């Protein structure tokens, strides 16, 4: 077997790997231009980390980068914190890879929201109505100082503080067609396997970001994402990543390749000074806007009316993505899709276990409940951002809604003779039910109750109590997992006030849409009176996949 050093040099194919092993904090640019080979290597870097998360060999940014899943493992100087939340993660991985590979790096460091209506509620650039523009950027370049001494950027400081203090989901909220000195860090990509690949970023305008680590032969897209508690999770790209106004830049995007120009080279081969330029849209072979407007755009420019057509047949956006990403015969396989979707939900439930457990260990259920909710429960900070799960739970609810919707659509399409659907059996509904039952039963997990006991659950049990699961970090673990039976609730520590909050929040637990444009800082009495505009819904959506499939036998 090759040694660690030999393997690293083999993978990178560059003398830049030598500096990566030196344990230096210096960011030395020894390769002035990002090439397609570097982009492929960056994708492989992300793929290895994603595979480790999928196999549950590591579950935090710290653990993954401090393991053999990191192709640069063992090469870092002391002091690297290895921390990233969802918005930070793509930047963090890109910066880390660029540092280790001797490549240039630059990032947008200031933003302003594009013009919106005078009545626009949310002035936060993370949730701006019409997206953002870039105000200024930060280039990481070595500089020649007094007495001829060269100063290199401190890579550890960049990773530990500069990036995480500047990057937010605002960094992704733009259509990415700006160029010149305020070019965007990303560009939107064509929907094909050349454009969407390991290392591609997915932006959800509801305030979440993920990075792709694998695309299956059948066109399924797998990603990893980070959370405020530094955990890393994996998931399946589905309609839980919403589309929106093109100016908000939702969807798939790649980092713009960079190059250093007008720099000098010192005796060690490091590039000094100069400036960083980015590839422009016309020079990017994978640049594309079809994800916003469809491959048959509306003549009047209405993005909602753009069509996605495959083999002369109109399909919805998410079907189009899967068909375009298929490697081989492009078809929709309902049984395979059902299995993937249930496994994805299972992974989300297991990740939720960790999130609720962290809140329990930190004593959040024993703290007094604040008098009001945050101004917006989906976009906040502090303890609520770290320990609450409203966004995570909304995505989970959306996944259950989606799995029922996809089953209905598959059955309807099959019965209508849709040629994009591949099924060789005699009773699609019965076979879909068999797949769901098998995977839902196999998906077992447990949570720790208030008195330290372990309670075992499975996916179907979670589905049945989904809209009872509290997102509120001040509730006991039993309520966080939707307990209803007296025996399970007996250990809960919630007092009368917290019980009142739980009852008042039921409207929000019914809601799948994550709204950032409405205020939510209600008292328990105000919230308990019923849903407000954009804040909660009276009744939960249908997620009864079991009864539906049985009714179709």
């Amino acid at each position: 077997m090759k040694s660690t050093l030999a393997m690293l040099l083999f993978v990178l194919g560059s003398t830049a790997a030598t500096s990566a092993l030196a344990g230096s904090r210096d960011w030395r640019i020894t390769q002035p231009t990002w090439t397609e080979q570097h982009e492929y290597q960056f994708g492989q870097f992300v793929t290895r980390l994603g595979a480790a998360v999928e196999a549950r060999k590591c579950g935090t940014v710290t653990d993954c980068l401090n393991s053999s899943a990191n192709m640069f493992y063992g090469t870092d100087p002391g002091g690297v914190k290895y921390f990233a939340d969802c918005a930070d993660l793509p930047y963090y991985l890109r910066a880390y890879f660029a540092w280790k590979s001797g490549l240039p790096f630059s990032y947008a460091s200031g933003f302003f929201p594009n013009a919106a209506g005078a009545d626009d509620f949310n002035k936060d650039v993370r949730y701006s109505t019409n997206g953002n523009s870039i105000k200024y950027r930060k280039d990481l370049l070595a500089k020649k100082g007094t007495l001829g001494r060269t100063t290199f950027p401190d890579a550890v400081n960049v990773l530990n503080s500069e990036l995480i203090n500047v990057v937010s989901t605002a960094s992704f909220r733009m259509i990415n067609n700006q160029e010149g000195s305020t070019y965007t860090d990303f560009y939107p990509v064509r929907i094909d396997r050349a454009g969407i690949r390991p290392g591609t970023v997915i932006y959800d305008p509801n305030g979440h970001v993920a990075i792709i680590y694998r695309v299956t032969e059948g066109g399924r897209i797998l990603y990893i994402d980070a959370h405020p508690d530094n955990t890393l999770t994996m998931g399946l790209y589905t309609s839980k990543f919403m589309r929106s106004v093109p100016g908000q830049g939702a969807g798939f995007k790649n980092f713009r390749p960079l190059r250093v120009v007008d720099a000098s080279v010192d005796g060690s081969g490091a590039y000094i000074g100069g400036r960083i330029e980015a590839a422009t849209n016309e020079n990017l072979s994978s640049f594309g806007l079809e994800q916003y407007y469809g491959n048959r755009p509306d003549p009047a420019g209405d993005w909602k009316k753009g069509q996605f057509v495959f083999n002369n047949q109109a399909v919805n956006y998410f079907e189009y993505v899967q068909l375009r990403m298929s490697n081989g015969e492009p078809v929709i396989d309902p049984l395979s899709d059902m299995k993937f979707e249930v496994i994805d939900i299972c992974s989300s439930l297991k990740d939720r276990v960790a999130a609720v457990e962290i809140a329990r260990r930190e004593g959040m259920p024993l703290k007094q409940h604040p008098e009001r909710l945050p101004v917006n429960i989906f976009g906040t900070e502090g303890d609520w951002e770290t320990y609450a799960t409203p966004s995570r739970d909304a995505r989970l609810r959306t996944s259950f809604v989606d799995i029922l919707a996809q089953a209905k659509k598959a059955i309807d399409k099959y019965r209508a003779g849709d040629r994009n659907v591949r099924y060789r059996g005699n009773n699609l509904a019965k076979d879909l039910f068999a797949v769901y039952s098998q995977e839902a039963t196999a998906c077992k997990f447990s949570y720790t109750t208030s008195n330290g006991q372990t309670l075992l659950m499975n996916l179907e049990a979670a589905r049945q109590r989904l809209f009872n699961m509290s997102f509120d970090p001040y509730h006991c673990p039993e309520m966080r997992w939707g307990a209803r039976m007296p025996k399970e609730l007996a250990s809960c520590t919630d007092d009368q006030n917290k019980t009142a909050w739980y009852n008042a929040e039921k409207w929000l637990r019914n809601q799948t849409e994550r709204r950032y444009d409405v205020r939510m800082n209600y008292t328990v009495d105000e919230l308990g009176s019923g849903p407000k505009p954009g804040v909660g819904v009276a009744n939960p959506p249908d997620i009864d996949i079991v009864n539906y499939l049985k009714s179709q036998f």
Side-chain angles (χ1 to χ4, degrees):
M1 293 181 64
K2 295 182 176 71
S3 67
T4 302
L5 174 58
M7 289 180 67
L8 185 58
L9 291 171
F10 175 77
V11 170
L12 295 180
S14 166
T15 56
T18 304
S19 64
L21 296 179
S24 171
R25 298 169 66 108
D26 291 346
W27 193 310
R28 293 175 176 266
I29 299 174
T30 56
Q31 301 188 83
T33 303
W34 280 80
T35 66
E36 279 300 314
Q37 181 65 14
H38 293 128
E39 297 293 350
Y40 172 78
Q41 291 164 354
F42 174 64
Q44 292 302 297
F45 170 63
V46 177
T47 293
R48 289 178 53 157
L49 295 174
V53 174
E54 180 179 346
R56 298 192 177 270
K57 293 181 178 179
C58 60
T60 67
V61 178
T62 302
D63 290 343
C64 288
L65 289 177
N66 272 319
S67 74
S68 58
N70 176 8
M71 63 171 60
F72 304 103
Y73 172 61
T75 69
D76 294 335
V80 183
K81 292 181 180 178
Y82 307 116
F83 181 89
D85 64 14
C86 78
D88 299 331
L89 183 65
Y91 278 92
Y92 195 95
L93 297 182
R94 185 77 168 187
Y96 183 87
F97 178 87
W99 167 40
K100 291 297 180 178
S101 304
L103 288 162
F105 186 74
S106 174
Y107 61 95
S109 54
F111 311 89
F112 60 91
N114 296 328
D119 60 346
D120 186 32
F121 166 77
N122 205 321
K123 308 301 181 183
D124 190 329
V125 290
R126 294 176 299 173
Y127 312 112
S128 53
T129 300
N130 294 323
N132 302 321
S133 293
I134 292 175
K135 191 173 183 179
Y136 36 80
R137 304 189 55 81
K138 173 69 177 291
D139 293 343
L140 300 182
L141 293 168
K143 298 179 180 179
K144 188 73 77 172
T146 57
L147 303 177
R149 182 177 179 179
T150 300
T151 302
F152 293 94
D154 184 335
V156 174
N157 185 60
V158 171
L159 294 172
N160 284 357
S161 60
E162 287 189 24
L163 278 178
I164 62 176
N165 288 335
V166 170
V167 169
S168 72
T169 51
S171 307
F172 304 83
R173 201 175 185 84
M174 56 198 79
I175 199 170
N176 307 323
N177 59 358
Q178 294 173 277
E179 298 176 4
S181 61
T182 54
Y183 62 86
T184 55
D185 294 326
F186 304 93
Y187 67 93
V189 298
R190 292 198 326 263
I191 301 176
D192 58 29
R193 294 180 77 94
I196 299 174
R197 61 201 186 208
T200 295
V201 172
I202 315 172
Y203 171 56
D204 181 344
N206 276 332
H208 196 62
V209 182
I211 187 166
I212 296 169
Y213 72 92
R214 182 160 69 94
V215 180
T216 71
E217 293 296 293
R220 285 298 195 171
I221 296 168
L222 302 175
Y223 63 82
I224 52 173
D225 54 353
H227 304 277
D229 57 10
N230 205 36
T231 55
L232 276 177
T233 57
M234 58 82 61
L236 176 70
Y237 178 74
T238 66
S239 61
K240 62 191 172 189
F241 285 85
M242 67 171 288
R243 299 179 69 220
S244 68
V245 177
Q248 293 182 353
F252 301 103
K253 52 190 70 184
N254 286 332
F255 281 95
R256 288 186 186 274
L258 304 176
R259 65 172 183 164
V260 176
V261 298
D262 298 333
S264 60
V265 183
D266 69 10
S268 70
Y271 284 71
I272 313 299
R275 68 182 188 281
I276 293 179
E277 291 183 346
T280 56
N281 294 344
E282 61 267 22
N283 292 320
L284 292 165
S285 61
S286 294
F287 176 86
L289 297 175
E290 65 178 320
Q291 61 181 307
Y292 302 117
Y293 301 104
N295 62 337
R296 288 193 185 173
D298 174 56
D302 187 339
W303 71 276
K304 291 183 179 180
K305 295 181 179 178
Q307 287 188 309
F308 294 93
V309 178
F310 190 85
N311 285 344
N312 296 317
Q313 183 176 346
V315 295
N316 71 38
Y317 171 70
F318 297 96
E319 290 173 332
Y320 181 79
V321 170
Q322 185 179 350
L323 289 166
R324 288 283 293 156
M325 295 303 294
S326 296
N327 193 19
E329 183 185 5
V331 294
I332 300 295
D333 183 337
L335 300 183
S336 176
D337 288 350
M338 174 65 79
K339 182 175 181 177
F340 258 110
E341 289 165 0
V342 178
I343 290 173
D344 178 53
I345 292 174
C346 181
S347 179
S348 296
L349 287 167
K350 290 178 178 179
D351 294 333
R352 190 181 189 275
V353 170
V356 174
E357 176 61 10
I358 289 171
R360 186 191 72 85
R361 289 180 179 176
E362 292 299 317
M364 293 300 298
L366 301 179
K367 294 183 178 181
Q368 184 177 355
H369 199 290
E371 292 184 1
R372 293 180 179 271
L373 291 180
V375 173
N376 187 283
I377 65 171
F378 300 111
T380 184
E381 57 188 17
D383 283 349
W384 188 274
E385 180 185 32
T386 303
Y387 302 113
T389 56
S391 293
R392 185 194 295 265
D393 290 359
R395 289 193 294 273
L396 184 61
R397 292 191 290 270
T398 300
S399 294
F400 274 105
V401 170
D402 185 65
I403 201 171
L404 175 57
Q406 292 305 313
K408 289 181 176 180
K409 186 173 296 183
I411 290 172
D412 289 344
K413 284 178 174 287
Y414 174 70
R415 289 173 176 171
D418 191 317
R419 60 183 179 273
N420 289 325
V421 176
R422 179 168 61 189
Y423 171 66
R424 302 286 187 261
N426 298 316
N427 189 323
L428 179 55
K430 192 170 186 178
D431 288 343
L432 284 170
F433 178 75
V435 172
Y436 174 82
S437 297
Q438 179 178 340
E439 296 299 330
T441 302
C443 175
K444 293 182 173 63
F445 57 94
S446 61
Y447 79 88
T448 303
T449 63
S450 298
N451 61 0
Q453 300 299 306
T454 299
L455 194 146
L456 185 66
M457 292 178 62
N458 64 24
L459 185 144
E460 174 58 16
R463 184 190 68 79
Q464 293 179 18
R465 55 169 70 184
L466 183 65
F467 297 101
N468 293 324
M469 292 181 186
S470 173
F471 53 79
D472 193 322
Y474 297 95
H475 286 144
C476 65
E478 292 83 353
M479 302 311 292
R480 296 295 300 274
W481 284 102
R484 308 309 294 165
M485 301 301 292
K487 184 177 180 180
E488 186 178 352
L489 283 169
S491 56
C492 178
T493 56
D494 287 0
D495 57 17
Q496 186 175 358
N497 179 57
K498 289 187 181 181
T499 299
W501 270 108
Y502 176 82
N503 293 331
E505 289 170 349
K506 66 180 179 180
W507 319 115
L508 288 166
R509 292 195 299 273
N510 290 341
Q511 185 170 323
T512 59
E513 185 182 12
R514 288 157 282 163
R515 293 286 297 272
Y516 296 87
D517 58 342
V518 292
R519 80 172 187 90
M520 298 180 174
N521 57 337
Y522 295 105
T523 65
V524 64
D525 292 334
E526 291 170 336
L527 192 64
S529 63
K532 308 293 189 295
V535 183
V537 294
N539 299 300
D542 183 12
I543 60 168
D544 197 342
I545 183 73
V546 172
N547 279 340
Y548 168 72
L549 290 175
K550 285 184 175 180
S551 73
Q552 300 299 307
F553 286 1

